[in-house]
Amino acid sequence: MMLKLFTDTSFLTEQYRSKLFPLLFELVFKENESLMQCYKIVDDIKSAHIVVLPIDYSTFYSTSRKAFTELNTIARAHHKTIWTFTAGDYGFTTHIPNMYTFRSGGFDSKLNNKTFILPAFINDPYNSFLKQGFSPLKKQTKPSIGFVGHAKSGILKYLKEYMNFLKFKFERTFKNKLADKQSFYPSSVKRAKYLREIAQNKNLNTQFVLRNKYRAGLNSKLTQTETSKVFYENIYENAYTFCLRGVGNFSVRFYETLAVGRIPVVINTDCRFPLDHKVDWFKHCLIIDKNSKKPVSQHILEFHNSLTDNQFEAMQVSNRNMWLNTLNKEAFFLEIYELFKSELK
């Protein structure tokens, strides 16, 4: 049976393509056959199981307050479950009854049990940037850890990031920007500090390429392709990749590492991971509490030494398979379908 979705179809247009609820994008623009066997958009709310806000919550609210209010009102009048998508680095916590929120990140201790974390939906790197097929790396005595990305220390960088934070705070306070409040977190400075400590440990093989700006400040399609190739080759060549949150409390690199079939080293800054009701994330990556007094390098060595050769390779295979079968867009929303099948009764 199909899960029937009701939404404001006037927003399912090219104009709002980049803002669409990801599932609606797959149904409307991609016409994803697997998902269309499980979900159907209907024009009668009485027959619908779920009401879906068509575009990003903040955009919907600010673009057409009337349409936003009408859809929420009719959903409540018919006692329907509501799904909303909140985009951006910060995301926005809603308090509308019977609403489930899909978002990229947020702080686990502050999110309710009706909040689902969306994986970063990326293309398969083996189809785009890696010519070789997937195969797990053999375990070496010295673990190898890689990183390519934005990481820079120094007072000027710290001040620049703080100014960007103040800009966000001003917009949230005085321009009514719908985004959750959060404390200042100088992510690139933090990354540089962690990576410096890891690089100093001679029992680790490190392969770090540190950028002063996101994507090295390169904007052309050709240069972005080149930097992406370097990025993914670094993940492929190293068993472990260091993953720390950015402006928002999530890491896209985390999902990119899983897609390649390698092992993320995650600094847990009160993160919530996707489908945590089903996935035991400690079986797929090294998760280090941000308050740990032990050096990150020591965590890596202890974790690496705790794995047998077979376990080490099996984890890489498991990570690749999990991305293929659970974390890409199609697979993720098939998992969500399984969770909400009770609505069909």
Side-chain angles (χ1 to χ4, degrees):
M1 293 180 65
M2 287 195 288
L3 202 59
K4 297 178 182 178
L5 313 176
F6 180 86
T7 190
D8 187 335
T9 56
S10 66
F11 287 86
L12 306 184
T13 64
E14 191 67 34
Q15 178 184 354
Y16 296 105
R17 181 185 177 105
S18 64
K19 300 291 185 179
L20 280 185
F21 191 110
L23 173 61
L24 296 181
F25 181 89
E26 289 296 298
L27 298 176
V28 175
F29 286 98
K30 289 290 187 70
E31 297 184 345
N32 184 300
E33 292 183 7
S34 295
L35 292 176
M36 291 175 74
Q37 292 178 14
C38 297
Y39 298 96
K40 180 181 180 181
I41 299 172
V42 297
D43 56 12
D44 177 16
I45 193 170
K46 292 181 182 178
S47 67
H49 303 109
I50 308 286
V51 171
V52 183
L53 303 194
I55 58 177
D56 163 53
Y57 187 98
S58 178
T59 305
F60 193 30
Y61 183 83
S62 59
T63 300
S64 180
R65 191 76 55 86
K66 181 181 178 182
F68 175 89
T69 302
E70 286 179 352
L71 191 57
N72 277 283
T73 299
I74 194 173
R76 290 197 300 271
H78 288 84
H79 308 288
K80 300 295 183 181
T81 297
I82 305 171
W83 286 358
T84 187
F85 159 59
T86 174
D89 287 329
Y90 296 96
F92 181 67
T93 299
T94 62
H95 299 284
I96 297 175
N98 210 29
M99 177 175 280
Y100 288 82
T101 300
F102 294 78
R103 58 190 292 169
S104 297
F107 297 91
D108 184 46
S109 61
K110 297 181 180 179
L111 301 177
N112 63 27
N113 60 4
K114 291 184 176 180
T115 300
F116 292 99
I117 297 301
L118 289 167
F121 296 127
I122 60 173
N123 294 323
D124 190 337
Y126 286 99
N127 294 335
S128 304
F129 302 106
L130 297 173
K131 294 181 179 180
Q132 61 273 60
F134 166 72
S135 62
L137 298 176
K138 300 291 184 181
K139 187 181 179 187
Q140 305 296 324
T141 303
K142 293 176 68 172
S144 62
I145 179 166
F147 177 89
V148 175
H150 188 193
K152 185 179 181 181
S153 57
I155 187 64
L156 291 179
K157 185 61 177 176
Y158 182 93
L159 291 174
K160 183 177 180 180
E161 293 204 4
Y162 188 66
M163 292 301 293
N164 289 334
F165 171 74
L166 290 179
K167 180 181 177 182
F168 155 76
K169 193 173 181 180
F170 175 84
E171 291 176 348
R172 183 178 180 275
T173 304
F174 297 103
K175 293 188 177 181
N176 296 319
K177 182 174 182 177
L178 296 182
D180 283 351
K181 179 181 179 181
Q182 73 175 49
S183 302
F184 173 56
Y185 191 88
S187 55
S188 65
V189 176
K190 294 272 190 180
R191 283 193 205 104
K193 180 179 178 181
Y194 280 119
L195 293 170
R196 186 164 53 248
E197 182 268 309
I198 295 170
Q200 289 173 350
N201 193 309
K202 302 304 180 184
N203 293 314
L204 296 171
N205 286 323
T206 57
Q207 189 176 346
F208 298 158
V209 180
L210 307 186
R211 311 289 198 192
N212 292 333
K213 296 180 180 179
Y214 176 68
R215 281 189 172 272
L218 302 174
N219 296 316
S220 76
K221 187 173 182 179
L222 177 61
T223 53
Q224 286 190 1
T225 298
E226 290 173 351
T227 57
S228 293
K229 188 172 184 294
V230 171
F231 175 86
Y232 278 114
E233 287 177 344
N234 182 272
I235 295 176
Y236 182 86
E237 292 166 0
N238 293 281
Y240 302 95
T241 291
F242 181 76
C243 302
L244 178 69
R245 60 163 284 190
V247 175
N249 193 33
F250 63 95
S251 167
V252 176
R253 183 180 283 102
F254 171 73
Y255 303 104
E256 292 163 327
T257 305
L258 294 170
V260 176
R262 298 297 181 251
I263 304 169
V265 175
V266 184
I267 305 300
N268 187 4
T269 50
D270 194 17
C271 301
R272 179 175 294 186
F273 299 95
L275 303 172
D276 56 355
H277 67 283
K278 176 180 179 178
V279 178
D280 182 352
W281 285 101
F282 287 93
K283 293 182 178 180
H284 295 275
C285 49
L286 169 57
I287 302 175
I288 304 170
D289 189 278
K290 66 175 182 178
N291 296 317
S292 175
K293 301 301 182 185
K294 187 187 299 182
V296 171
S297 57
Q298 191 61 35
H299 278 284
I300 296 170
L301 287 167
E302 290 178 5
F303 179 83
H304 184 73
N305 292 333
S306 73
L307 299 173
T308 65
D309 291 359
N310 289 338
Q311 288 172 332
F312 179 76
E313 292 185 40
M315 182 176 289
Q316 296 173 67
V317 174
S318 177
N319 286 354
R320 172 64 178 167
N321 288 337
M322 183 175 65
W323 183 83
L324 287 170
N325 300 319
T326 306
L327 294 180
N328 65 69
K329 195 182 296 185
E330 178 183 299
F332 177 81
F333 282 109
L334 290 176
E335 292 287 345
I336 294 298
Y337 171 79
E338 292 297 323
L339 279 176
F340 281 87
K341 276 201 305 187
S342 59
E343 301 283 344
L344 299 173
K345 299 177 181 179

